[in-house]
Amino acid sequence: MVDWTDARARMVERQVARRGLKDPELLEALRQVPREIFVPEGMQEFAYEDSALPIAEGQTISQPYIVAMMISAADLRPGDRVLEVGAGSGYAAAVLSRMAAHVYAIERHERLTDQAAAQLARLGYDNVTLRTGDGTRGWPEAAPFDAILAAAGGPAIPQPLKEQLEIGGRLVMPVGEAPRDQRLIKVTRIDATHFEEEDLGGVMFVPLIGEFGWNEADDRRPAEPRSFRTPAAEPTIPQLIRQAAEPLPSPDAPDFAEPFDRFAGARVILLGEASHGTSEFYRARCAITRRLIERHGVRIVAVEADWPDAAAVDRFVRGLPQPSDAAPPFHRFPTWMWRNEEVQTFLRWLRDWNLERPPEDRAGFHGLDLYNLTASIRAVLDYLDRVDPEAGKVARERYGCLAPWAKEPQAYGRMALSRGYAECEAGVVATLHDLLQRRLDYAARDGESFLDAAANARLVKSAEAYYRAMYYASGESWNLRDTHMFETLCALLEARGPDAKAVVWAHNSHIGDASKTEMGVVREELNLGQLCRQRFGAQAALIGFGCHGGEVACASDWDGPMEIKAIRPSLPDSCERLAHDSGVERFLLDLREGMHADLRHRLLEPRLERFIGVIYRPETERWSHYAACSLPQQFDAYVWFDQTTPVAAIPTRVEAGPDETWPFGL
């Protein structure tokens, strides 16, 4: 369950206060008003995102920061009477009501007026008066007003609103020459006939419809350019992409991976994906990785998968014996992410390649993630029982704390939150510490098994903290997870020696530099790519992937069945739409400094970028799956597939059957 009070507090701190709005009364008002009740059913999870959200009648509830900025610009004072034009959901009126003596709010859609009135009454905010009408006319019988805020943009400030301002009153409104191309203007009434204007910057609001604003036809007409300041000869960003893009053949073509040789000198090459269910992304990563292994000495393939599941696959590809009681790997949701024909084809190739080489020169396949708590506990205990039975008894006692929660670790997080402390933390940390303290002794007996046991102990330690953090703050749990992935990658490199090189397969959200995206700037999240850049510098190559449309394997909810869904065309002015408009079907775009300087400069401005995970909800795509990113700072290169297809999933069955031998049945 979401802690809405905490979500509001984090929104105020990260989205408002850190952007320079410090008025304590404004910040407290934002903390008080429950934004989640003003958004439509099914959208509550996005209530505190740093973006506007759709409401009924084709309108929006403004981005929290924009609401705060407009209220701050209005410079409210004790006892002020305020007019709001375009009440919409009623959220801004609710915030204003916590600061002003009385708020008058006009909304042209009766349905929205009724909904807003109901929510305000539910909250007991009785100093707000609402009515349905033409907001451009103002509210003459209630005038004059100390402040007027318009939550919709017009071609000019309506004269009736200016006339209804008190002397010294402030009016804040978006104004522009086209319905959706606006500047936020602050007007202060100096005396009966004089007004002072201040431009607060570019914004985009829904059009202000009314007698002194736009008409309905204006709202439907596409916005035209405000001016012709940009010379026609200057190339557009899609044209620059077309010039810089290096066309790629199909991922199955023998020469597909050749252009990626430029990154082979890096110690860590991170290959992303824009979804967890797209065949082209998997096949491209397989082709690039195969070339890096064959020609450039890469011997570590580290993937966004749980260590114990990937360890079973690693034993297969390196020709190592499997435990007699080993469970089939990758049976937990989302099974299609790794149990698919694309991965299976690669693993069979890797096994064949490995078996032609001595054991010390074989490439491994390793998991970086931390979800499979049960299997990791079992692996640590089995290892210690073999090499140090006394240590095994101690570890079994320590891990016993987690035993009731191992199959449903989320329940441990809820328990830890309700009891107010980390009940199992000390034991799991001590077990990892003891294991690492004795590494020389254990590794001398069986170095390969020690690496596996240490990774599993590290997973248990990180998973305990991760599931506990899930119930405090999503950002903290994300950071714990990606830090664990980074630590596991570093342990793999250390075990292989100073010249070891790794390729990483993970989602764009993990391998792009989070500090150059909304994730890091707004939500204070770090990720694997950022940590690799900080540790390895130019020896880390971050390569993102993207697409415009097609189909994807995904689910609608966590633990839900796999579905094949159509991918919506990318949003206008998103990174993906710019790539699509280049007209190049498949390409590699080198984004490193010194390459394509004009394009790189034009792409530095943050734009929306799509992130589809194992869950895809097209109906809320803008808010579920897009975040602002600076593409050339986030990635060193970008791989583009305009249209994509879903992975070919290999189903699992409860009963024994041929597929249970995946990927071992050759």
Side-chain angles (χ1 to χ4, degrees):
M1 178 175 291
V2 178
D3 183 339
W4 294 116
T5 301
D6 180 64
R8 279 195 294 280
R10 284 187 282 119
M11 177 270 287
V12 170
E13 172 61 25
R14 297 178 182 180
Q15 299 177 31
V16 180
R18 289 187 186 175
R19 286 172 169 159
L21 301 182
K22 304 293 187 182
D23 179 358
E25 292 186 7
L26 170 60
L27 300 182
E28 181 57 30
L30 290 165
R31 291 189 193 99
Q32 289 181 16
V33 177
R35 183 175 165 90
E36 69 273 9
I37 77 167
F38 291 95
V39 303
E41 191 72 27
M43 296 289 288
Q44 284 86 354
E45 64 181 296
F46 310 114
Y48 295 99
E49 291 294 307
D50 191 27
S51 65
L53 296 173
I55 57 175
E57 305 292 351
Q59 304 301 296
T60 60
I61 175 174
S62 295
Q63 174 189 8
Y65 172 70
I66 290 294
V67 173
M69 184 178 72
M70 292 183 68
I71 294 174
S72 176
D75 191 21
L76 296 188
R77 298 154 194 174
D80 275 358
R81 301 170 73 255
V82 179
L83 171 66
E84 185 195 19
V85 176
S89 68
Y91 173 68
V95 176
L96 287 165
S97 75
R98 302 303 85 196
M99 303 175 68
H102 200 92
V103 178
Y104 296 83
I106 307 174
E107 171 52 51
R108 72 186 182 97
H109 297 286
E110 186 172 7
R111 176 184 175 190
L112 292 179
T113 305
D114 293 343
Q115 291 175 349
Q119 299 296 14
L120 291 164
R122 171 183 168 188
L123 293 170
Y125 294 176
D126 56 6
N127 63 332
V128 181
T129 304
L130 286 125
R131 78 176 186 188
T132 304
D134 180 355
T136 68
R137 292 173 171 269
W139 199 319
E141 58 270 36
F145 300 102
D146 301 292
I148 299 176
L149 291 85
I157 304 289
Q159 188 61 29
L161 298 186
K162 295 172 73 172
E163 292 173 354
Q164 291 171 34
L165 266 184
E166 179 67 84
I167 303 298
R170 293 81 55 203
L171 184 155
V172 182
M173 175 180 162
V175 176
E177 298 170 12
R180 297 181 185 273
D181 184 10
Q182 306 138 353
R183 308 291 295 179
L184 190 63
I185 303 299
K186 176 180 179 179
V187 174
T188 303
R189 188 167 194 174
I190 305 303
D191 54 36
T193 59
H194 294 88
F195 298 84
E196 185 178 88
E197 289 193 7
E198 179 183 357
D199 188 333
L200 302 179
V203 290
M204 188 171 75
F205 280 74
V206 295
L208 178 64
I209 307 299
E211 181 180 356
F212 297 91
W214 300 103
N215 58 41
E216 294 283 356
D218 291 321
D219 189 22
R220 291 192 295 267
R221 188 179 67 229
E224 297 175 355
R226 292 182 61 190
S227 71
F228 295 95
R229 290 180 300 228
T230 302
E234 183 176 349
T236 65
I237 293 178
Q239 288 171 338
L240 290 173
I241 291 175
R242 184 177 183 86
Q243 293 170 13
E246 300 174 46
L248 293 170
S250 164
D252 304 316
D255 57 344
F256 173 84
E258 288 182 13
F260 297 87
D261 284 348
R262 73 194 72 184
F263 304 110
R267 189 163 191 214
V268 181
I269 302 101
L270 299 98
L271 302 178
E273 59 182 357
S275 86
H276 283 315
T278 295
S279 177
E280 285 75 9
F281 299 156
Y282 279 79
R283 285 153 48 213
R285 294 191 303 191
C286 290
I288 298 166
T289 302
R290 177 171 174 169
R291 187 173 179 90
L292 291 170
I293 291 172
E294 288 180 319
R295 298 178 179 236
H296 300 290
V298 167
R299 294 296 181 265
I300 298 169
V301 182
V303 303
E304 186 186 338
D306 291 335
W307 177 276
D309 295 84
V313 174
D314 179 57
R315 288 189 287 269
F316 164 71
V317 299
R318 290 199 287 152
L320 301 175
Q322 296 283 349
S324 57
D325 60 348
F330 302 120
H331 265 238
R332 300 170 71 253
F333 177 89
T335 56
W336 68 88
M337 186 171 165
W338 298 112
R339 291 178 66 96
N340 59 63
E341 292 180 7
E342 291 83 354
V343 171
Q344 178 168 264
T345 298
F346 172 77
L347 295 177
R348 289 177 173 173
W349 168 83
L350 184 56
R351 176 183 169 89
D352 291 343
W353 188 87
N354 273 337
L355 294 182
E356 295 177 355
R357 282 153 184 80
E360 65 274 11
D361 193 37
R362 294 175 184 175
F365 186 89
H366 307 284
L368 299 177
D369 225 331
L370 49 61
Y371 289 121
N372 199 339
L373 183 61
T374 302
S376 287
I377 290 175
R378 180 75 264 157
V380 174
L381 296 178
D382 287 348
Y383 172 76
L384 289 175
D385 285 345
R386 289 198 312 273
V387 302
D388 192 342
E390 288 303 313
K393 290 179 183 178
V394 174
R396 187 170 276 101
E397 182 177 342
R398 290 169 174 166
Y399 282 169
C401 172
L402 281 173
W405 324 102
K407 291 186 177 179
E408 190 186 352
Q410 296 90 338
Y412 171 71
R414 293 193 294 271
M415 177 277 297
L417 178 62
S418 64
R419 297 186 187 179
Y421 60 94
E423 187 169 278
C424 302
E425 179 182 20
V428 298
V429 170
T431 298
L432 175 60
H433 179 267
D434 289 352
L435 197 65
L436 295 178
Q437 284 286 94
R438 301 173 190 172
R439 72 169 69 197
L440 292 179
D441 179 37
Y442 291 164
R445 306 183 205 181
D446 185 348
E448 195 70 51
S449 295
F450 170 76
L451 176 64
D452 181 65
N456 279 297
R458 190 178 292 106
L459 186 154
V460 175
K461 185 266 294 183
S462 297
E464 184 277 335
Y466 172 81
Y467 286 111
R468 179 160 37 88
M470 282 177 62
Y471 288 86
Y472 286 96
S474 59
E476 182 182 354
S477 62
W478 174 276
N479 290 348
L480 284 166
R481 181 183 172 205
D482 271 56
T483 299
H484 168 81
M485 294 168 74
F486 175 69
E487 291 173 348
T488 303
L489 175 62
C490 290
L492 287 167
L493 289 165
E494 181 183 358
R496 278 281 188 164
D499 297 326
K501 297 165 69 174
V503 62
V504 175
W505 297 358
H507 196 274
N508 285 349
S509 56
H510 292 292
I511 70 96
D513 187 338
S515 69
K516 310 304 180 186
T517 73
E518 182 181 318
M519 292 169 57
V521 175
V522 177
R523 302 201 295 266
E524 294 188 306
E525 294 172 347
L526 52 76
N527 69 357
L528 177 61
Q530 176 183 345
L531 294 171
C532 282
R533 269 191 177 166
Q534 291 170 356
R535 171 69 66 87
F536 302 111
Q539 289 295 300
L542 283 50
I543 304 174
F545 287 64
C547 73
H548 172 68
E551 292 184 324
V552 64
C554 58
S556 295
D557 295 290
W558 192 261
D559 265 340
M562 190 196 84
E563 306 171 53
I564 303 298
K565 293 187 181 182
I567 301 173
R568 287 193 170 187
S570 53
L571 292 177
D573 202 38
S574 64
C575 298
E576 290 82 3
R577 180 56 66 88
L578 296 175
H580 169 72
D581 289 347
S582 75
V584 184
E585 182 181 1
R586 292 181 296 269
F587 63 75
L588 168 65
L589 187 62
D590 196 327
L591 295 169
R592 294 173 296 177
E593 287 191 41
M595 303 295 294
H596 317 301
D598 189 16
L599 172 61
R600 194 174 188 278
H601 176 74
R602 299 272 293 276
L603 286 174
L604 283 174
E605 179 184 349
R607 287 180 171 80
L608 291 178
E609 181 183 319
R610 180 157 56 192
F611 298 85
I612 300 174
V614 295
I615 307 300
Y616 182 41
R617 295 171 178 163
E619 63 278 7
T620 60
E621 186 185 62
R622 164 62 184 85
W623 301 274
S624 310
H625 301 290
Y626 278 91
C629 306
S630 174
L631 196 71
Q633 295 181 300
Q634 179 189 12
F635 300 121
D636 295 304
Y638 190 60
V639 182
W640 177 253
F641 295 93
D642 196 70
Q643 298 294 318
T644 59
T645 56
V647 293
I650 299 173
T652 61
R653 300 188 183 92
V654 175
E655 71 276 9
D659 74 282
E660 295 305 329
T661 63
W662 181 93
F664 316 123
L666 300 176

